[in-house]
Structure formats: C-alpha cells, structure tokens
Amino acid sequence: MTSSSLAARRAAAALDRLGLLHPKLIDLSLDRVWRLLAALGNPQDRLPPVIHIAGTNGKGSTVAYLRACLTAAGLRVHSYISPHLVRFNERITLAGEMISDGALADLLERIETVNEGQPITFFEVTTCAAFAAFAEVPADVLILETGLGGRLDATNVVARPAATVLTPIGLDHEQFLGPTVAAIATEKAHIIKADTPCVSAAQVPEADAVLRAMAAQCQAALAVAGEAFQVAVEDDQLVYSPIAGGAPWRLPLPALLGDHQIANAGVALAALEVARDPRTGASLTPALEALATGMRTVSWPARMQRLTRGPLVDALPAGWELWLDGAHNPQAGAMLAGFLPRWADQPLDMIMGMMGPKDAEGFFRPLAAQVDRLRAVPVPQEPNAKSPELVATAGQQAGIADVAVCDSVAAALGALRQTAGDSPRRVLICGSLYLAGTVLADNQ
C-alpha cells in the first residue's frame, strides 16, 4: 500500500469515528464548539482576515467568485465549504490547495486526541479541525461558508470578520431554522458583527427587514444589492457600480452560467470592495485586472456544469448534452426556470433526487412548462433522502406529464435514451448536492 493510499484510509477512518461522537447529525449549539476550540488554544483568534458567508442559495458560487478573484490577485486564500461533493478534502483549502490526505489524517487524529471522545457533532468537530489548520498555515484571507443557519452554526465564532455576506434567503431547513423566511433570516443574520461591513443580495421583504434591523443593532454598515451597489450586463460585459461611487467596474461575464450568477458575482464584488483587514484596516480589494481574471476563470462543480466526458456521457447518443446542477429548493427552482428559456432549442429531460425535508412540488412548479420528462431517482447512501416515488408525485402535481421512477442516474439515462431515440436532447441532473457528488464520482 502506498503512503498516499494509507493516508487516505487513515483520514477516512478518522472521519468515520468522528461521525459517531454524537447521536444526531445536526444539533445546533455552540457550547461543544467553544469547548473544543478552547482545548485547541482558540485557533479562531489566530485566523487571517475572514469573509463570512451565510444564505440559502448562492453561497458556494459566491465563495467561488471570491476565491478566484483573490487568488488572481496573488493572495494566499484559505476556504471552508460544505458539503463536499466527492471527497471530504474539498471542504478545506489551505493557501489555495485542497488539504492533502496526509495532512487531513494528521489533523483529524490530533483533534480526536484533544476532544477525548466527548460528544460533538460531525460538522462541529470537523469545523474545529479546519480552524486549527487555518490558524497554522499562513494565508492572506479565509473565505468561510456557514454550514446551516448562522446564529448557532459552528463557523460563527469569529469575533470580527473582514466582511460578512448574506446571499438570497428563502425557505430551507425549516425543521432547524424556523417555519418562515423571517425566522430563517433571523438565524442567518447573526453572522453580522459590530462595526463590520456587511453585504446582502437583494432579499424578499421579510428577510430584508430582518437583516436591516440586525445591521442597525450591530452598527454594521449594510450594503444591499440594487441599492448600495448595482450589477448589470452591458455589451457582453459585467458592469458593477461600486458602493463608493466613481467609474463602474467593467469586467468579463462570469464563467458560471445563469442570470442568478450575475447577481452572485455582484455580491462577491461588493464584498471584495468593502472587506478590510480588521487588524490593520487595509483593503482586501483586488485590482481590476485580477477581478477580470477571476470572472473568466471561476469554476464551481455542480453549478450548471456541463459534463463532457466520462461513462455517463458516453452512454448518451451523439448530440445529447448532460448537465449537472445542485438546485433543490423553490427559490433555486425559480432561478433555474429563468435560465431554461435559452435551452428552448432542444427538449429538456430532468433527473431529480432530493433530501426528505425539501419542498419538491415548490421546486418543480416554476419549471414544469419547460421540462419534457422527469425521472426521479434515490440519493444513494442517504437515509434522510426523499423517496423517488414522492419526488415523482410532486413533479406530476406541479404539472410535468411524463414522470417515472428509476433506480439510479445511470438507469434513468438508459430509460430516457430508450424512449426518445437518438434525436438531440438535453438532460439536467439536479437536486441534492449529495446526488451531485455521486454523479461526479460515477462519471470519473
């Protein structure tokens, strides 16, 4: 066995053990996090400047824009995301590089020793591990994505970030965050910190009111999209009108597809405009040349990603296209519906797998008129996934006529091909990011 495969096995074994420390996958609280961080010497107090991001949709894409632009500026960038798609290592990027298996195994085993078997959820203990790594590896900035909510999220331990960011907020994870948009916004608004600039996407009125109240309470300067800053497309360029005024920033259109990605890019640019090192007050804003490079080179798997090679692609007839996206809630469904008219040249088939609490009918409703056929599939190895039968029923109730259940994505692709002939079509696989990860792994 090679040293790299041994390290991968050590890391996987440690992750398995850490997953057994608490009977619940999600149990929102910061008490266990503060305990373990204290035992680790409070690494959250030794981080580079932090840009902290919460929201319902668009968090990952916003992370991608920030990372691409800051990296293009020559900065060393840490980042923390969740969930991962194929490998846990994706969650922790150290100075621009995904954490290696060896470093991850050493880190997790050290955290295990310090934790001494005390109860703590998987996300909490792995977030503490990430903070320890971020504090020990030099970098210029840390992009920190919340896992769930904000107020009691394990990432919400940074006293003074360089900036906070709220992406669009809608209904999701209601069983943990509350039954209304206002309740969910209240949870997420708690990443806003005193005297720290905050950038918000355009929000529905219920969320907007909550964020403004929290910013006022914290005396945090709040910049809201469409009000403090503007972003638009003009002559095949992204045009950002800065908060500080002056000449607009004219940049290439982002590499990520969809009108919502223009809005996400605008939020990221605003965050880069206002972010300041809280220790020195120095600006973190890259030069326009770096911002342009970031827009051109940004990538983010499973966000309107076309799959162009691999066994799943090879199984399709010539001329068919296979796409992958992580959209899975009503707000994301509406955003996706705004993009689909540009695909009107070919029939669209959808393969969908969702987690149990998601509003499947609400997701399908804005899409129904544009989806020719729907095939519902399970999300592998996820006990909390919604049954394909329920997903299929939701699709029918939303107005999709041709609906069926399949055992897997590969089986769904086979069934779609068998009943459609070889005429060119597009197939969009979407739903849970856990399903997206399975697709990417199966298509390698």
Side-chain angles (χ1 to χ4, degrees):
M1 183 180 298
T2 65
S3 59
S4 60
S5 60
L6 178 60
R9 291 184 64 176
R10 284 175 51 216
L15 290 168
D16 288 342
R17 293 191 299 271
L18 293 172
L20 300 175
L21 292 174
H22 196 284
K24 295 181 180 179
L25 180 64
I26 298 173
D27 181 19
L28 296 179
S29 167
L30 285 177
D31 294 342
R32 296 177 295 271
V33 173
W34 285 121
R35 171 189 57 74
L36 181 53
L37 289 174
L40 290 167
N42 290 311
Q44 77 281 2
D45 296 335
R46 304 192 306 277
L47 301 175
V50 173
I51 300 176
H52 198 189
I53 304 170
T56 303
N57 291 297
K59 295 193 300 294
S61 297
T62 303
V63 169
Y65 287 118
L66 292 170
R67 189 160 64 187
C69 292
L70 290 165
T71 299
L75 299 181
R76 298 166 297 176
V77 182
H78 291 334
S79 63
Y80 185 62
I81 63 166
S82 62
H84 60 277
L85 293 176
V86 180
R87 303 174 63 206
F88 180 89
N89 308 54
E90 298 166 26
R91 299 187 182 211
I92 302 173
T93 299
L94 299 174
E97 299 292 334
M98 184 171 67
I99 191 170
S100 68
D101 288 328
L104 179 61
D106 291 343
L107 175 67
L108 296 176
E109 289 169 356
R110 175 158 57 95
I111 299 301
E112 274 191 292
T113 299
V114 174
N115 186 62
E116 298 180 326
Q118 296 188 64
I120 188 167
T121 71
F122 180 82
F123 183 73
E124 291 168 350
V125 72
T126 52
T127 300
C128 291
F131 280 133
F134 294 143
E136 294 164 5
V137 176
D140 301 300
V141 64
L142 164 59
I143 306 167
L144 184 63
E145 179 188 351
T146 56
L148 182 62
R151 180 173 65 94
L152 297 176
D153 187 79
T155 65
N156 197 26
V157 293
V158 178
R160 194 176 174 198
T164 58
V165 180
L166 280 303
T167 66
I169 297 171
L171 289 175
D172 206 1
H173 299 294
E174 295 96 317
Q175 71 273 36
F176 299 109
L177 303 179
T180 66
V181 171
I184 293 170
T186 299
E187 293 295 316
K188 295 179 185 292
H190 275 80
I191 71 163
I192 298 174
K193 298 295 186 294
D195 301 319
T196 298
C198 177
V199 170
S200 173
Q203 305 285 355
V204 297
E206 304 95 305
D208 183 74
V210 169
L211 300 186
R212 289 179 190 274
M214 180 63 77
Q217 178 181 326
C218 294
Q219 296 184 323
L222 176 65
V224 179
E227 180 181 298
F229 63 95
Q230 312 281 340
V231 63
V233 176
E234 297 177 7
D235 300 325
D236 291 327
Q237 287 186 308
L238 184 148
V239 180
Y240 171 80
S241 300
I243 299 165
W249 302 355
R250 294 187 174 273
L251 304 168
L253 292 178
L256 301 183
L257 299 179
D259 293 342
H260 60 290
Q261 291 296 355
I262 300 298
N264 289 339
V267 168
L269 291 170
L272 292 171
E273 181 186 355
V274 302
R276 298 286 186 276
D277 185 331
R279 301 163 300 189
T280 66
S283 171
L284 297 178
T285 308
L288 284 180
E289 182 179 355
L291 296 175
T293 299
M295 291 297 123
R296 283 193 298 264
T297 60
V298 63
S299 64
W300 200 236
R303 274 71 172 184
M304 292 309 295
Q305 176 186 5
R306 184 176 178 184
L307 305 180
T308 57
R309 60 177 62 89
L312 295 178
V313 177
D314 294 342
L316 295 176
W320 284 42
E321 295 179 6
L322 184 60
W323 292 75
L324 181 64
D325 191 71
H328 60 263
N329 56 38
Q331 191 178 28
M335 293 177 182
L336 182 58
F339 173 81
L340 291 183
R342 17 185 130 179
W343 279 359
D345 60 317
Q346 290 181 196
L348 176 65
D349 298 326
M350 179 176 286
I351 299 173
M352 184 72 179
M354 300 183 80
M355 298 303 289
K358 306 301 179 183
D359 178 4
E361 186 176 350
F363 172 81
F364 288 125
R365 197 173 296 119
L367 299 165
Q370 302 173 78
V371 175
D372 192 39
R373 300 182 294 175
L374 169 67
R375 298 297 178 260
V377 298
V379 181
Q381 299 179 335
E382 288 297 330
N384 294 323
K386 192 182 294 293
S387 75
E389 291 75 14
L390 288 177
V391 174
T393 298
Q396 288 177 320
Q397 291 173 339
I400 303 174
D402 188 340
V403 176
V405 171
C406 296
D407 292 337
S408 67
V409 168
L413 289 172
L416 290 170
R417 173 177 179 169
Q418 186 176 16
T419 57
D422 293 340
S423 58
R425 305 180 73 90
R426 287 189 180 89
V427 182
L428 174 61
I429 306 167
C430 58
S432 168
L433 286 174
Y434 298 107
L435 177 66
T438 300
V439 169
L440 291 173
D442 290 347
N443 196 51
Q444 290 180 346

